[in-house]
Amino acid sequence: MRASAAGMPAVLFPGQGSQTRGMGRDLFDRYPEPTALASDILGYDLPRLCLEDPDGRLDDTRYTQPALYVVNALSYQDSLERGEPEGAYLLGHSLGEYNALHAAGAFDFETGLKLVLKRGELMARAPDGAMLAVVGPDADEVRAFLAEEGLSQLDVANINTPVQTVLSGARDEIERAHKTLDARGTRVARLKVSAAFHSRFMAAARDEFAAFLKGFRFAPLRAKVIANLTARPYPDQDVAATLSEQICGSVQWLDSVRYLLERTTVGDCREVGGGGVLTRMIRQIDAAPAHGIPQQKPQPQSRPRLFCIAYAGGDERAYAGLAEHCPDVDVVTLERPGRGRRASEPLLREPAAIVDDLLRQLRDRLDAPYALYGHSLGARLAFLLCRRLRDERLPAPAHLFVSGESGPAVPSRERHTWELPTDAFWDHLKELGGIPAELWEHPDLMAYYEPVIRADFTALGAYRHEDAPPLDVPVTAMAGEDEWFTRADLEAWQQESTRPLTTHRFPGDHFFIRAQWPALARIVAAGLAAP
């Protein structure tokens, strides 16, 4: 059953791969001013490129991206002048997301063109790579295939439909995946690209683009733009961060369309430009039974759940000691990208993007009483997750447990740690504790983990507290007696909840938790048992 929001218009913008010689033929003469402006900015005759492609450059991403952006923008303007409604929801596939943001008023036509011109240049510089479309298995089956075959240099770049997933990565491993899948009878198709888009191989392009975006300011959005990275609407304040991470991150098209179809209908969606590829995808997703997910009745749950969020650098093993002392609670640590079993996925550096990822992990697991627990960075993320759950009108946690962090309205004392040079960075981590002693003996491992830990501290530095009504969730805040927190820092958690705050101090430093798992387990059990 689809949502009853019929009449809410949605507009879709295609991305790279939809370019064809002759595109824009009916638009360039109709819109001479933006066409001339585009040619001036690009430094070449854009209509000639699109209509004739005399030098065979239309499939070169440096030229493809700006050309598609212009044609999409003119196509949308043309549709409005022909009486089509503006999009209340806007969704673009990869490059098309820039057209969606332009249509929503985030930036003007000229700014958007400058952004995609730079994006194309940076992505074209990426190391040699390749991409492969896999048709038939779902994304989870494709990931299992990668693990089974030891294809560790491949990432899932696009999840387009329940049966279409795109891989991206090292050319030799793409070749091996192609041959192996083909031998199994799975439909595969190499994409006509020269680099591994939406994969870890775009990290340098992402970082340089993030620096480039610091020179721009983005206006508040006047429509809902669904981000490829999160499959949720853009927050106004995170446009730059989301655009830079999108270069490395998977295009979550399937989940984006599912989100859209919960709020409007296929009949209210229109695709501008392109050849109808996105429209066909939406129809396929809409026709899939229950969005392609088997329907199961929730099973009765007698054991409550504790969803844990790791501290900076932590992975899903961070709370193993707590799980050992909670026999009557299912302790589930939510794994962030870039570590553990998700090591192949791009790191996230913005709190909002991380919270979107956490929400996707637990959204379908709220059929039993549950609580949230986070330590240090995890405490702030758990708090933001509580707010998102409330915004999404999902079941609230029975309790929020936090440790090793001041109330979120108090600026974190670690907010500048990410800026430290390497030697000072590691010296500071040694002071904090929490890093296994054996790591200091292996410089290669330190070099491997530094980007992971630094990304987490970058997220902590990017945290900006926003005033909002307090949560109707009990909060227990804990800290070590040797930590730097004052009583006021800890009690600042009270302003975030309508319920009385509970606080505990334990012997030890920032990582007191490792010596206090039994006590923490008792606190968790009591909090979950409280009415």
Side-chain angles (χ1 to χ4, degrees):
M1 177 73 72
R2 298 295 179 204
S4 59
M8 294 293 288
V11 181
L12 290 76
F13 298 91
Q16 194 160 336
S18 64
Q19 70 273 10
T20 58
R21 190 169 65 175
M23 67 181 188
R25 186 178 304 280
D26 299 327
L27 297 169
F28 297 131
D29 289 341
R30 288 195 60 194
Y31 301 98
E33 291 185 7
T35 299
L37 175 62
S39 293
D40 287 344
I41 292 172
L42 297 173
Y44 53 82
D45 187 334
L46 179 65
R48 187 165 184 258
L49 170 72
C50 293
L51 301 180
E52 302 173 22
D53 191 21
D55 302 313
R57 298 184 300 184
L58 192 56
D59 289 334
D60 182 331
T61 193
R62 294 170 295 178
Y63 297 90
T64 309
Q65 295 198 33
L68 275 174
Y69 169 82
V70 172
V71 171
N72 282 348
L74 297 183
S75 296
Y76 183 58
Q77 180 63 33
D78 179 62
S79 74
L80 297 181
E81 293 182 3
R82 288 187 285 102
E84 296 281 2
E86 291 188 350
Y89 290 94
L90 301 163
L91 178 57
H93 194 279
S94 191
L95 169 78
E97 193 160 296
Y98 288 78
N99 288 106
L101 288 165
H102 169 236
F107 41 73
D108 59 21
F109 172 81
E110 180 178 351
T111 298
L113 182 56
K114 291 176 179 177
L115 294 180
V116 300
L117 175 62
K118 185 67 171 180
R119 182 180 188 261
E121 291 173 353
L122 293 174
M123 293 174 73
R125 291 185 211 160
D128 186 43
M131 300 179 73
L132 181 72
V134 182
V135 180
D138 64 23
D140 287 340
E141 292 171 319
V142 171
R143 291 190 184 99
F145 162 76
L146 297 180
E148 175 187 337
E149 295 295 325
L151 295 165
S152 60
Q153 296 298 302
L154 298 186
D155 296 332
V156 172
N158 302 49
I159 305 174
N160 286 330
T161 73
V163 294
Q164 186 189 112
T165 302
V166 177
L167 297 176
S168 182
R171 185 174 293 276
D172 61 336
E173 292 206 354
I174 285 287
E175 195 66 43
R176 184 153 66 91
H178 190 167
K179 292 179 180 178
T180 305
L181 289 166
D182 189 56
R184 294 183 180 186
T186 302
R187 287 174 55 199
V188 288
R190 287 284 291 272
L191 302 190
K192 295 180 180 179
V193 296
S194 59
F197 301 149
H198 297 291
S199 78
R200 75 193 81 171
F201 293 89
M202 290 287 131
R206 175 203 60 207
D207 293 344
E208 192 168 344
F209 194 57
F212 177 73
L213 289 175
K214 290 180 179 178
F216 295 86
R217 294 292 178 267
F218 301 99
L221 305 181
R222 57 175 180 258
K224 297 287 188 183
V225 178
I226 303 172
N228 288 182
L229 185 69
T230 64
R232 292 294 180 273
Y234 264 84
D236 284 340
Q237 69 272 19
D238 288 329
V239 172
T242 306
L243 283 179
S244 58
E245 289 294 340
Q246 188 230 41
I247 290 177
C248 277
S250 298
V251 175
Q252 302 290 335
W253 187 258
L254 173 59
D255 283 346
S256 297
V257 171
R258 286 172 173 166
Y259 180 90
L260 179 66
L261 293 181
E262 289 173 356
R263 289 154 179 83
T264 189
T265 66
V266 173
D268 290 304
C269 299
R270 78 176 189 273
E271 180 179 351
V272 302
V277 173
L278 302 185
T279 301
R280 289 192 290 274
M281 284 185 187
I282 282 195
R283 289 174 178 164
Q284 184 178 7
I285 294 167
D286 184 61
H291 297 318
I293 300 174
Q295 290 294 298
Q296 297 179 345
K297 293 182 179 180
Q299 298 299 312
Q301 296 288 336
S302 56
R303 286 159 56 89
R305 293 172 180 153
L306 179 69
F307 293 106
C308 299
I309 303 171
Y311 40 82
D315 59 20
E316 62 184 355
R317 298 166 295 179
Y319 298 99
L322 180 60
E324 291 177 7
H325 293 89
C326 290
D328 298 321
V329 178
D330 287 326
V331 177
V332 180
T333 300
L334 303 176
E335 185 80 285
R336 295 197 291 277
R339 67 210 76 205
R341 58 186 169 79
R342 302 182 68 186
S344 64
E345 299 179 43
L347 295 163
L348 299 178
R349 295 170 173 80
E350 283 292 325
I354 298 173
V355 171
D356 286 335
D357 182 86
L358 296 171
L359 183 61
R360 281 199 299 274
Q361 294 185 57
L362 61 74
R363 178 183 290 274
D364 298 325
R365 306 164 81 176
L366 305 180
D367 55 342
Y370 76 97
L372 298 178
Y373 173 45
H375 179 75
S376 197
L377 167 65
R380 292 192 182 235
L381 294 175
F383 165 70
L384 290 177
L385 184 56
C386 277
R387 281 190 169 181
R388 277 295 306 278
L389 288 160
R390 180 177 65 183
D391 293 345
E392 298 273 341
R393 298 185 178 181
L394 292 168
H399 211 103
L400 172 61
F401 301 97
V402 293
S403 60
E405 185 55 289
S406 57
V410 179
S412 170
R413 298 195 181 213
E414 296 295 328
R415 63 189 181 278
H416 298 300
T417 299
W418 66 278
E419 300 172 325
L420 295 173
T422 294
D423 289 346
F425 183 72
W426 283 108
D427 287 344
H428 184 67
L429 295 184
K430 187 176 290 187
E431 291 175 7
L432 287 177
I435 303 295
E438 58 268 21
L439 186 62
W440 308 108
E441 302 171 6
H442 299 280
D444 54 337
L445 286 179
M446 291 173 67
Y448 175 82
Y449 280 111
E450 181 176 346
V452 177
I453 304 172
R454 194 178 288 276
D456 284 345
F457 277 103
T458 302
L460 194 56
Y463 180 90
R464 299 293 181 271
H465 190 67
E466 296 182 2
D467 291 336
L471 301 164
D472 186 26
V473 176
V475 178
T476 294
M478 300 166 280
E481 292 175 349
D482 299 332
E483 290 193 86
W484 53 82
F485 301 121
T486 66
R487 183 180 184 86
D489 288 338
L490 206 58
E491 291 182 347
W493 282 100
Q494 179 61 82
Q495 69 189 66
E496 309 302 337
S497 175
T498 58
R499 308 286 192 90
L501 175 72
T502 302
T503 62
H504 296 275
R505 284 275 194 175
F506 292 91
D509 57 15
H510 188 56
F511 280 93
F512 72 91
I513 56 176
R514 291 176 175 168
Q516 300 293 338
W517 291 134
L520 266 64
R522 290 193 293 272
I523 291 170
V524 166
L528 281 167

